[in-house]
Amino acid sequence: MSDCCSVKDSSVAPPVAACPANGARSKQVDQLTVKSLVRQLPLEMPDTQYYFCETRDCDVVYFAFDSHAPIFRRADLLIRVSAKEESAWIPVCYCFGFTRKDIEDEIAETGRSTVTDRITAEVTAGRCACEVKNPSGKCCLGNVTRITQNRRRNRPVAATKATG
C-alpha cells in the first residue's frame, strides 16, 4: 500500500468514536475506503483517521478523528449504503453484487441461501476488494450471515416447500 493511503495519527485515534450527528458508536475505516467511495474529495484530503457510522436514520457515513476534516454524507458517496437503507435491491455484498433480494428469493425458492457459501468461495479465491467497495471497509460475510438467518427465521409459511 502506498503512503498516500496510510493514516499517520492512527496510533492516537481510538478504535471507535461517537458520530457527531447522533452519538452512535462508529468503527474506524481506512482512508482508502473513504477515498474510493466519496464522489468528490477535497483537494487536500486531511491525513486523519475516519470512522463509519452505520446508523440507519443518520445521514452521516464518514466522519474524521480531526473535527476540522470534512464529514461525508449519503449524497457524497458514489454508491448507496445498505446499512443506511432497507431496499432489497442495494448490495449487501459490494464485491460480488449480492442483494437482500437475492437472499430472500433463494430462501423463498429453496428454504436456504447459498450466498454466504458463494461469497466465501470468492474470498478464498482472492477475488474480493472489500476495502475499496464496501462502505464499512470490512468483509460483508458477518452481515450477510445475519441477514440470511433473519430472513430464514421470518420467512412466510407459504414460502416453505412441502416435504414428504
Side-chain angles (χ1 to χ4, degrees), residues 17-26 51 53-64 71-74 84:
C19 173
N22 67 6
R25 236 182 121 208
S26 303
Y51 295 85
C53 176
E54 62 183 330
T55 305
R56 184 161 303 221
D57 61 352
C58 182
D59 194 45
V60 171
V61 178
Y62 300 122
F63 63 93
I71 291 174
F72 300 110
R73 302 177 182 281
R74 290 180 199 196
K84 301 274 187 187

Side-chain angles (χ1 to χ4, degrees), residues 7-24:
V7 177
K8 289 184 180 137
D9 66 359
S10 64
S11 63
V12 297
V16 295
C19 173
N22 67 6

Side-chain angles (χ1 to χ4, degrees), residues 129-143:
C130 306
E131 66 280 358
V132 295
K133 291 186 175 186
N134 188 336
S136 74
K138 309 277 188 276
C139 181
C140 67
L141 277 171
N143 189 37

Side-chain angles (χ1 to χ4, degrees), residues 119-133:
I119 293 169
T120 300
E122 294 291 340
V123 170
T124 301
R127 292 190 282 262
C128 66
C130 306
E131 66 280 358
V132 295
K133 291 186 175 186

